[in-house]
């Protein structure tokens, strides 16, 4: 479905020091730095997959998405999506994709959202019947039936984002690129958006590529993650395997009434207030059950919570491990 | 074409969301170009002709250029403000639509307030025609229409070039205004009054003289080469290099970080 092979992209960035003098100097002689935005990026994604594309700011996520959506032409490398080369057969290719840029709107600010949808219908040449069907299903799934009659400027961010996503799917694309779709949303809207993306993927078998900094998105939506840093793919794997690999550390939170705790091997105290203690257990050395029994020997425990590593922690340790 | 009409109706509805502002900017545009008309008026209050062109003849030339400029600016506004389209990432959005990107940029903005100038141009035109001794035959009317159409094509072409430069650099594009806004101001008078080299430049490099000086001579029954009445057609050819330049620019597009 999606095949990227050895994609490279460099940018020339003009550099100059601050100040008027330097500004004048740069008029005559410009200094450029070459930045390798993407280095030998290769991966394949199958139809119907949901992939999380993660990495810190400036790692090359957006550049990859832009190449995959036909906006940028790479310096070298092969990219075949849907049997087409995005930047060569641009017009034919983009009919099959939908893109949501979380930070930019595609709706007409002053007009009701439904008007923007109408225009998209003409741009994508969707038949009247198909258009009706799509708008109906999308607006009921996203719960925007009444909202779409309001001008976009009067919508809340969450409402607008739901409309944005609907607008990107109105031509029933095979691939959906989501660039930070939940940025700035409240908890309820986030969950609504996530559920919807899942529904779409299940019902229509839409391939979804998601970039985000919100690890809950990743946890809720994707099985597979691609980690990019400094323009290279650093890791390509299942989130579950990663979780197992990185969660030999379990965190146990214990509420207690009285008593004391003895340190022991494989058990480190993270915080300790009177009445509550948080310890982390290295499960390679000490099993969780023996840790609990050890801890409850000298104390009267009222509550215990055990937690594996969250996606967030995994990502942080991944970033640390790869020095990005 | 249907799609463009659709865009147009969207733009009109947007503009009508703010009615007072809409009307005031039209009025403002009308007044601004009125100042430039006053320039011509006072000039002729002192001299009764410029290089052999009388007041009404210059006004005819003025109205043709002003009219084609304002129509071009109104509809090619997307090219005029293309720097912003690039820097706010709007162009990324255009690239993911299954349409020609040139068309979408063209359709992306319409500035109705420029119609205030058009109104001005029409008023001047009516005044000029009623005061000029030209006897309007069928082919003269046809040529006159071509002068305006050619002028629209010319100014649009200039805006496309202006926009294409944005793909390479965003700084220092002001010099293009010499040809667009400048063209409108120079174009008030028949190009010949600026001398041979200017006339040559505005004939072969930027064919502004082809929509005013040469066909105007024909309209006024002055002695001309047989090619003169057909020169407005030449300006349409000017669109070809503009288009090529645009295409080169698009492949050079670098996008901005988000």
């Amino acid at each position: 479905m999606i095949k990227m092979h050895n994609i490279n992209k460099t940018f020339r960035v003009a550099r100059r020091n601050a100040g008027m003098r330097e500004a004048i100097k740069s008029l005559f002689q410009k200094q450029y730095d070459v930045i390798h935005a993407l280095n030998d990026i290769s991966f394949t994604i199958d139809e119907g997959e949901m992939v999380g594309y993660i990495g810190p700011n400036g790692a090359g996520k957006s550049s990859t998405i832009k190449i995959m959506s036909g906006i940028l032409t790479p310096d070298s490398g092969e990219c075949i999506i849907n049997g087409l080369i995005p930047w060569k057969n641009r017009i034919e290719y983009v009919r099959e994709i939908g893109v949501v840029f979380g930070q930019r709107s595609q709706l007409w600010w002053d007009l009701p959202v439904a008007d923007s949808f109408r225009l998209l219908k003409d741009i994508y040449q969707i038949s009247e019947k198909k258009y009706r069907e799509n708008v109906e299903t999308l607006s009921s799934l996203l719960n925007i039936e009444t909202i779409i009659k309001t001008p976009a400027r009067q919508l809340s961010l969450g409402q607008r984002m739901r409309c944005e996503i609907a607008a990107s799917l109105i031509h029933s694309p095979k691939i959906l690129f989501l660039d930070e779709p939940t940025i700035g949303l409240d908890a309820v809207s986030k969950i609504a958006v996530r559920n919807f993306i899942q529904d779409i993927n299940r019902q229509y078998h839409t391939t979804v590529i998601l970039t985000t900094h919100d690890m809950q998105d990743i946890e809720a939506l994707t099985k597979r993650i691609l980690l990019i840093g400094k323009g290279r793919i650093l890791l390509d794997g299942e989130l579950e395997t990663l979780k197992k690999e990185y969660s030999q550390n379990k965190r146990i939170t214990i509420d207690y009434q009285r008593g004391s705790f003895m340190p022991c091997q494989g058990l480190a105290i993270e915080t300790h207030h009177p009445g509550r203690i948080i310890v982390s257990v290295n499960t390679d050395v000490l099993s969780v059950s023996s840790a609990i029994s050890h801890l409850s020997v000298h104390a009267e425990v009222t509550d215990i919570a055990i937690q594996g590593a969250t996606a967030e922690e995994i990502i942080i340790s991944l970033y640390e491990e790869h020095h990005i | 074409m249907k799609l463009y009409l659709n865009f147009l109706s969207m733009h009109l509805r947007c503009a009508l969301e703010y009615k007072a502002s809409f009307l005031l900017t039209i009025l403002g545009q009308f007044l601004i170009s009125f100042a430039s008309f006053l320039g011509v008026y006072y000039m002729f209050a002192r001299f009764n002709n410029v290089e052999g062109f009388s007041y009404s003849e210059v006004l005819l030339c003025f109205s043709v250029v002003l009219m084609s400029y304002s129509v071009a600016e109104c509809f090619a506004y997307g090219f005029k403000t293309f720097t912003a389209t690039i820097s706010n990432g709007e162009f990324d959005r255009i690239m993911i639509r299954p349409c020609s990107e040139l068309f979408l940029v063209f359709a992306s903005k319409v500035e109705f307030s420029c119609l205030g100038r058009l109104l001005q141009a029409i008023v001047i035109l009516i005044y000029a025609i009623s005061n000029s001794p030209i006897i309007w035959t069928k082919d003269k009317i046809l040529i006159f229409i071509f002068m305006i159409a050619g002028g629209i094509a010319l100014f649009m072409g200039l805006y496309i070039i202006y926009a294409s430069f944005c793909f390479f650099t965003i700084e220092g594009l002001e010099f293009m205004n010499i040809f667009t806004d400048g063209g409108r101001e120079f174009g008030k008078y028949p190009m010949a009054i600026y001398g041979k080299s200017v006339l040559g430049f505005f004939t072969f490099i930027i064919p502004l003289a082809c929509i005013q000086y040469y066909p105007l001579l024909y309209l006024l029954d002055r002695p001309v080469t047989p090619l003169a009445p057909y020169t407005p057609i030449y300006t349409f050819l000017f669109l070809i290099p503009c288009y090529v330049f645009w295409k080169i620019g698009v492949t050079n597009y670098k996008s901005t970080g988000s």
Side-chain angles (χ1 to χ4, degrees):
Chain A
M1 185 82 183
I2 298 180
K3 216 180 138 205
M4 299 272 277
H5 189 66
N6 289 342
I7 294 281
N8 283 292
K9 179 81 189 167
T10 53
F11 292 109
R12 269 195 340 156
V13 180
R15 281 276 148 91
R16 69 173 169 82
N17 295 327
M20 193 62 201
R21 203 175 169 185
E22 293 290 326
I24 291 167
K25 219 162 107 190
S26 78
L27 277 178
F28 302 103
Q29 197 180 23
K30 267 208 174 146
Q31 283 185 340
Y32 289 101
D33 281 0
V34 175
I35 290 183
H36 295 272
L38 298 176
N39 267 320
D40 282 333
I41 298 283
S42 307
F43 56 81
T44 52
I45 293 171
D46 291 328
E47 199 182 333
E49 253 191 297
M50 280 218 257
V51 178
Y53 197 49
I54 54 174
N57 291 330
K61 294 193 300 289
S62 289
S63 297
T64 321
I65 296 278
K66 279 173 187 166
I67 286 176
M68 288 201 284
S69 48
I71 296 170
L72 286 180
T73 312
D75 299 338
S76 65
E78 258 178 69
C79 169
I80 294 173
I81 303 177
N82 257 336
L84 296 169
I85 299 171
W87 58 92
K88 280 203 180 132
N89 321 77
R90 188 180 67 79
I91 290 182
E92 200 185 334
Y93 168 73
V94 294
R95 275 179 209 287
E96 303 287 339
I97 63 164
V99 186
V100 177
F101 293 114
Q103 317 201 42
R104 293 179 199 144
S105 180
Q106 58 180 317
L107 303 169
W108 288 59
W109 194 241
D110 288 322
L111 297 180
V113 178
D115 283 6
S116 300
F117 287 180
R118 275 261 142 210
L119 189 67
L120 287 172
K121 170 187 176 282
D122 288 341
I123 290 178
Y124 284 98
Q125 294 162 351
I126 311 166
S127 70
E128 188 66 38
K129 184 170 163 273
K130 188 101 193 278
Y131 170 75
R132 285 249 171 87
E133 260 173 41
N134 280 357
V135 169
E136 218 165 274
T137 27
L138 287 172
S139 43
S140 70
L141 277 174
L142 283 161
N143 208 1
I144 52 170
E145 287 109 327
T146 46
I147 302 173
I148 58 173
K149 291 175 188 128
T150 336
R153 64 164 190 272
Q154 286 166 346
L155 298 180
S156 74
L157 186 61
Q159 290 172 328
R160 212 179 67 215
M161 188 53 74
R162 278 183 279 157
C163 295
E164 294 280 346
I165 294 178
S168 300
L169 284 165
I170 230 156
H171 56 291
S172 26
K174 285 186 189 151
I175 306 174
L176 180 63
F177 295 100
L178 296 163
D179 197 356
E180 306 193 29
T182 57
I183 197 163
L185 297 191
D186 64 49
V188 179
S189 309
K190 260 186 200 173
I191 289 170
V193 166
R194 277 181 208 145
N195 288 344
F196 172 75
I197 295 169
Q198 253 166 348
D199 285 349
I200 285 291
N201 173 263
R202 247 182 254 135
Q203 277 184 33
Y204 303 99
H205 230 63
T206 312
T207 311
V208 178
I209 291 146
L210 170 84
T211 77
T212 182
H213 292 292
D214 187 330
M215 289 313 148
Q216 284 167 338
D217 283 354
I218 297 282
E219 224 165 1
L221 289 174
T222 62
K223 281 207 187 82
R224 177 176 164 201
I225 58 167
L226 283 167
L227 175 73
I228 184 173
K230 292 181 188 158
R232 286 173 200 282
I233 295 277
L234 300 172
L235 197 131
D236 177 354
E238 301 277 310
L239 187 62
E240 280 308 309
T241 5
L242 276 175
K243 258 191 175 167
K244 272 186 201 124
E245 208 170 298
Y246 283 90
S247 64
Q248 74 268 55
N249 280 323
K250 294 264 189 220
R251 177 177 293 150
I252 304 177
T253 309
I254 294 170
D255 289 341
Y256 65 96
Q257 279 191 321
R258 63 184 87 78
S260 61
F261 298 95
M262 294 291 164
C264 84
Q265 200 160 38
L267 199 149
I269 294 171
E270 281 185 8
T271 48
H272 191 179
H273 306 294
R276 167 170 285 190
I277 185 167
I278 299 172
V279 295
S280 84
V281 182
N282 185 343
T283 47
D284 290 346
V285 186
L286 190 71
S287 74
V288 176
S289 60
S290 46
I292 292 173
S293 57
H294 173 81
L295 287 167
S296 46
V297 171
H298 298 292
E300 198 170 308
V301 175
T302 53
D303 194 14
I304 292 182
I306 306 166
Q307 217 181 12
T310 58
E312 196 114 90
E313 286 167 321
I314 296 176
I315 298 307
I316 290 170
S317 42
L318 277 176
Y319 284 6
E320 274 168 6
E321 196 179 304
H322 292 283
H323 307 289
I324 54 174
Chain B
M1 192 59 204
K2 188 179 156 252
L3 181 58
Y4 186 69
L5 290 179
N6 214 328
F7 264 103
L8 209 58
S9 98
M10 298 275 280
H11 285 300
L12 192 62
R13 269 177 283 161
C14 278
L16 292 177
E17 282 280 307
Y18 308 96
K19 286 188 201 75
S21 147
F22 179 61
L23 291 175
L24 282 175
T25 38
I26 289 191
L27 184 69
Q29 288 281 348
F30 186 86
L31 291 178
I32 288 170
S33 57
F34 188 66
S36 115
F37 162 73
L38 282 184
V40 181
Y41 176 79
Y42 283 115
M43 174 90 128
F44 278 94
R46 304 204 105 213
F47 313 99
N48 49 23
N49 73 72
V50 172
E51 292 270 326
F53 291 96
S54 73
Y55 181 46
S56 68
E57 288 161 358
V58 167
L59 280 190
L60 194 61
C61 178
F62 182 27
S63 68
V64 167
V65 172
L66 189 62
M67 197 177 289
S68 36
Y69 176 83
S70 41
V71 172
E73 194 189 18
C74 171
F75 293 101
Y77 207 70
F79 295 109
K80 193 182 180 183
T81 55
F82 193 61
T83 331
T85 310
I86 289 231
S87 53
N88 67 19
E90 228 1 78
F91 192 64
D92 287 354
R93 177 70 61 195
I94 283 173
M95 290 289 275
I96 59 164
R97 300 285 186 227
C99 293
S100 145
E101 65 287 329
L102 189 72
F103 168 76
L104 283 178
V105 174
F106 176 65
S108 69
K109 280 191 189 101
V110 176
E111 184 57 50
F112 290 103
S113 67
C114 303
L115 296 178
R117 273 209 202 104
L118 182 65
L119 205 63
Q120 170 101 56
I122 291 170
V123 171
I124 297 175
L125 178 70
I126 292 168
Y127 179 80
I129 286 179
S130 57
N131 280 294
S132 81
I134 298 175
I135 299 141
W136 292 94
T137 58
K138 241 185 210 162
D139 54 331
K140 278 190 182 173
I141 293 174
L142 196 67
I143 287 167
F144 185 73
I145 291 169
F146 264 99
M147 281 162 77
I148 292 171
I152 295 171
L154 172 73
F155 282 115
M156 281 196 180
L158 286 172
Y159 278 128
I160 292 174
I161 292 181
Y162 175 80
S164 312
F165 270 115
C166 300
F167 288 117
F168 303 98
T169 170
I170 299 184
E171 301 159 49
L173 282 174
E174 292 297 307
F175 81 93
M176 274 303 289
N177 290 346
I178 297 173
F179 303 118
T180 51
D181 293 8
R184 183 194 70 212
E185 291 301 310
F186 292 148
K188 286 196 287 200
Y189 302 99
M191 274 303 160
I193 68 162
Y194 302 108
K196 267 238 158 73
S197 49
V198 174
L199 181 63
F201 179 80
F202 280 110
T203 304
F204 297 108
I205 316 272
I206 293 169
L208 186 59
C210 295
I211 60 144
Q212 39 122 298
Y213 177 61
Y214 300 112
L216 188 69
L217 288 183
Y218 180 82
L219 292 185
L220 300 174
D221 294 316
R222 307 268 169 96
V224 284
T225 55
L227 268 180
Y230 304 105
T231 47
I233 298 167
Y234 174 66
T235 55
F236 290 99
L237 297 180
F238 178 67
L239 287 174
I240 297 169
C242 299
Y243 179 72
V244 172
F245 189 45
W246 169 265
K247 276 287 169 195
I248 296 171
V250 171
T251 43
N252 212 295
Y253 177 55
K254 287 191 190 69
S255 185
T256 46
S258 58

